[in-house]
Amino acid sequence: MKLAYVTGASIPSTTAHASYAANLCNALSRAGVDTLLVAVKGPLDEAAFRRKFSALSIQTFGWPWLQRRPTVKLVLLAVALLAKGRRWEADRMFIAHNDIVAAALAMQRRDFLYDLHNFGPGGRILRYALGSSHCKGIIYSCLSLQSAFARRFQAAERPALVLGNAIDPAYITPRRSGAVVRAEARIPQNKKVIAYIGSMGAHRGIELMLQAAARQGRTDLFWLFVGGRADEIAEWRAMARDLNLSEETVRFTGFRPQEELGDWYAAADVLCAAYRRQLPGWGHLASMKLLEYQATGKPVIVSDMPFAREILSDRSAAFFDPDDPEGLSRALLQALKKRSSPQGPSDVPTWDSRAQTLAGWLRAHFAPVSS
């Protein structure tokens, strides 16, 4: 069997879904599975993307500006699939990563698998797509999602796989020591660094971390925020000023390239992920960022979300209820008492290991997977 993976993300772009699709498909290709990644054209340099994912075959449609209009983008992708007809890539099993795309494949009477990472409050399109006899199986990103989906939908019996997300160990491997990174960033060596590394958008709990920094009022702690767009950073800096937090206590680096992330992880003593319950999919979200946190072996402060409980334990993490204003402060005190325990390479869920798992499942339940 040959595969065609159709993602709702733009390719290439910087979204988590784009990273997931590109990394998984590239790893499948490296494993000898003939895999085609299908998407709407993204805004980044495609030549650089193809060099990075050299094993991957890509088919893109449309124009990069469509990424600013997600619904229009997805409808265009669905129409493109319908217009090409069932004979286009007829020898491939399709994998859909979006409900609109899955519905288009069902309308086309083309067999497909559904790679489920989230679902919204409505679900009519998803019900239609997964209720089709052409949906041959479901791939889940985590056990929490599988359980939440089973409670919400009465899906037909079909093969299922909890595959999970993965990380590239290279992105958490430091190039320099934490002390050197701190010195270059002018972070005092004698302070404990509490770091958040990731998106700075809504519901990530940035405000909780800033409030905790102001509430603690400790001069021996330094709060480091790595990531975010310029407009987001401007808002959080304004909030920090309103809380009387200076750059002696709080630092925002803004967006940093992936190859730098290992250095920033090395500079941290404790990592923090204060995701709020308002974050879409909070109850079943499989965060790749939490996998990175886990792989560093650093103590973690994390909101008590189901996926965090799947991969982290009380030995390595301090959990808190994000609706409890004092919860993060108490979790911080707990985390500061925990010790780092660096993971070994075999403990990290890599894209290659995930690709091997998926290929084995496909061989077991469907036609042989071959190059």
Side-chain angles (χ1 to χ4, degrees):
M1 184 200 324
K2 299 193 294 185
L3 301 177
Y5 191 103
V6 190
T7 178
S10 300
I11 297 293
S13 65
T14 58
T15 66
H17 276 175
S19 174
Y20 171 86
N23 279 290
L24 179 60
C25 291
N26 196 56
L28 283 167
S29 297
R30 283 200 303 265
V33 181
D34 187 332
T35 306
L36 174 68
L37 178 59
V38 182
V40 169
K41 188 180 294 293
L44 302 184
D45 181 7
E46 188 166 323
F49 176 85
R50 289 180 181 275
R51 287 194 296 271
K52 179 178 179 182
F53 299 99
S54 57
L56 187 57
S57 296
I58 310 167
Q59 171 71 66
T60 55
F61 302 101
W63 305 271
W65 58 264
L66 282 171
Q67 69 153 348
R68 298 192 297 269
R69 299 169 174 81
T71 302
V72 175
K73 174 184 71 174
L74 292 169
V75 169
L76 169 71
L77 184 57
V79 169
L81 291 172
L82 289 169
K84 279 188 169 291
R86 291 180 64 190
R87 284 190 286 181
W88 182 65
E89 302 292 348
D91 58 341
R92 294 182 185 270
M93 169 69 87
F94 276 64
I95 302 179
H97 193 36
N98 173 270
D99 55 355
I100 294 177
V101 169
L105 294 172
M107 291 172 61
Q108 204 175 46
R109 299 181 180 179
R110 188 193 290 272
D111 290 347
F112 68 93
L113 305 170
Y114 193 80
D115 192 358
L116 182 65
H117 282 219
N118 202 353
F119 58 89
R124 289 184 179 180
I125 297 176
L126 187 59
R127 286 181 187 275
Y128 165 76
L130 300 190
S132 166
S133 62
H134 294 281
C135 179
K136 300 302 182 182
I138 302 178
I139 302 165
Y140 296 97
S141 58
C142 62
L143 288 168
S144 303
L145 177 61
Q146 185 181 38
S147 298
F149 184 79
R151 291 193 298 269
R152 175 73 182 281
F153 294 90
Q154 296 295 322
E157 290 291 330
R158 56 179 61 113
L161 170 68
V162 179
L163 179 63
N165 276 316
I167 63 170
D168 184 342
Y171 292 146
I172 61 168
T173 302
R175 302 168 302 174
R176 298 169 296 171
S177 71
V180 170
V181 177
R182 289 191 189 198
E184 291 184 355
R186 302 188 309 282
I187 299 173
Q189 300 287 348
N190 62 340
K191 290 195 176 188
K192 292 286 187 181
V193 176
I194 319 300
Y196 170 79
I197 300 175
S199 169
M200 298 288 288
H203 311 314
R204 264 70 179 183
I206 311 301
E207 73 282 7
L208 289 179
M209 290 181 262
L210 292 175
Q211 290 162 6
R215 188 179 295 113
Q216 291 283 333
R218 291 177 50 166
T219 58
D220 62 327
L221 300 182
F222 190 94
W223 293 78
L224 176 66
F225 296 88
V226 180
R229 304 191 310 265
D231 58 322
E232 295 169 338
I233 297 301
E235 290 185 15
W236 296 125
R237 280 186 173 139
M239 182 177 182
R241 287 194 299 271
D242 291 342
L243 292 169
N244 295 317
L245 296 170
S246 71
E247 287 222 340
E248 297 300 315
T249 304
V250 174
R251 181 78 50 77
F252 298 93
T253 72
F255 172 79
R256 306 307 305 166
Q258 275 190 318
E259 56 268 22
E260 290 186 15
L261 296 187
D263 293 348
W264 295 109
Y265 278 123
D269 294 294
V270 175
L271 299 170
C272 189
Y275 298 135
R276 306 303 302 271
R277 279 191 172 86
Q278 299 95 319
L279 186 69
W282 185 89
H284 51 258
L285 180 70
S287 167
M288 283 190 281
K289 188 55 60 179
L290 285 186
L291 288 176
E292 288 186 3
Y293 279 20
Q294 177 199 32
T296 67
K298 300 287 179 77
V300 178
I301 308 165
V302 62
S303 61
D304 200 353
M305 57 195 297
F307 180 67
R309 287 288 184 180
E310 281 188 38
I311 64 170
L312 299 170
S313 71
D314 290 324
R315 289 183 301 174
S316 61
F319 298 90
F320 73 98
D321 185 333
D323 291 336
D324 176 5
E326 300 289 338
L328 196 155
S329 295
R330 291 194 297 270
L332 170 60
L333 296 178
Q334 295 172 26
L336 288 171
K337 298 176 183 178
K338 298 180 185 293
R339 294 184 177 181
S340 296
S341 56
Q343 304 286 315
S346 61
D347 299 318
V348 180
T350 65
W351 293 110
D352 287 329
S353 66
R354 294 306 194 207
Q356 292 288 351
T357 298
L358 178 55
W361 179 73
L362 292 170
R363 291 189 186 99
H365 292 280
F366 306 100
V369 178
S370 59
S371 57

